[in-house]
Amino acid sequence: MHVQEWLEAVPPVAIYALVGLVIGLESLGIPLPGEIILVSSALLASQHGEINPVILGACAVAGAVIGDSVGYAIGRRGGRPLLAWLGGKFPRHFGEAHIATAERSFEKWGMWAVFFGRFIALLRIFAGPLAGVLRMPYWKFLIANVLGGIVWAGGTTAVIYYVGVVAEAWLKRFSWLGLVAAVLIGLTSMLVLKRKAKKMQDTTAEEAGAEAEPVGATE
């Protein structure tokens, strides 16, 4: 069943709990489609008045912040053996190359890696556990975690909700040009943050490749 159709079949309280749980588990380090669930739920809220977008956004933020904090605690306690174990269980997400890229991002950007990591699926899964493994001071992690959770989870909920409301109004008037404009304006802020986060990740990968090049040349 399509995600949207499935969400329409459950009561609002269950949707709030589902969003918080899925995003929390994803932030903890378990590969789950948190962003898909959040976007689908926010869009559903724009079409059904019984779903409160404020409560939905609050649940999403709470799941993101709590999940990341739990992931941090687990990573700090488990250390690198934990990453090795996760690599064996989830090689597509926690392979050595992925871990190395995420680790370089953390070493270079610190708190910003946690903040902007919210907007990249790979770093969103890694952020909490890896910050713990690398012994990032908790107060730094907490600030970036809370701010990132509010901007990503709360911002995504607000943007998708209002885009859905505006889109429905324009659709009733059959103004496709207005619909396109509303979607573009509504998504701009989130895309800018995603682009900045991706650029940060690409820069880190390029620098890592440049450092490894001389070693390959000597061989």
Side-chain angles (χ1 to χ4, degrees):
M1 184 181 294
H2 191 273
V3 174
Q4 193 78 6
E5 294 175 352
W6 185 83
L7 289 174
E8 290 177 351
V10 298
V13 174
I15 293 177
Y16 302 146
L18 177 67
V19 168
L21 179 63
V22 172
I23 291 178
L25 291 175
E26 183 190 35
S27 300
L28 189 151
I30 300 176
L32 291 174
E35 193 167 40
I36 294 176
I37 294 294
L38 179 58
V39 169
S40 298
S41 300
L43 187 59
L44 186 64
S46 71
Q47 302 168 356
H48 298 273
E50 64 270 18
I51 301 176
N52 190 318
V54 176
I55 298 177
L56 181 66
C59 291
V61 172
V65 173
I66 294 173
D68 245 17
S69 296
V70 173
Y72 175 92
I74 293 175
R76 193 174 180 88
R77 184 177 182 85
R80 293 190 177 277
L82 173 65
L83 295 181
W85 180 82
L86 288 172
K89 292 292 184 180
F90 306 101
R92 291 183 57 188
H93 299 277
F94 290 91
E96 292 183 5
H98 290 158
I99 292 176
T101 299
E103 187 171 350
R104 285 192 292 269
S105 297
F106 268 74
E107 291 174 350
K108 180 175 177 60
W109 301 101
M111 292 174 61
W112 290 112
V114 178
F115 179 85
F116 286 111
R118 287 288 181 191
F119 302 90
I120 301 176
L122 176 62
L123 287 181
R124 187 161 60 245
I125 297 172
F126 274 119
L130 191 55
V133 170
L134 297 178
R135 302 283 175 172
M136 176 183 289
Y138 183 70
W139 68 269
K140 289 185 176 181
F141 170 79
L142 183 61
I143 292 174
N145 178 26
V146 172
L147 292 179
I150 292 174
V151 174
W152 174 73
T156 297
T157 302
V159 168
I160 298 302
Y161 174 79
Y162 285 111
V163 166
V165 170
V166 173
E168 186 175 10
W170 280 108
L171 279 173
K172 289 179 180 178
R173 301 177 186 179
F174 299 101
S175 179
W176 291 98
L177 182 60
L179 172 60
V180 172
V183 171
L184 291 177
I185 293 173
L187 294 178
T188 295
S189 59
M190 303 306 294
L191 290 176
V192 167
L193 287 171
K194 281 180 176 288
R195 187 178 303 171
K196 187 172 181 62
K198 186 66 168 62
K199 184 178 180 180
M200 182 183 72
Q201 186 181 38
D202 292 341
T203 300
T204 303
E206 289 174 2
E207 290 178 355
E211 292 175 1
E213 188 175 349
V215 177
T218 56
E219 296 176 357

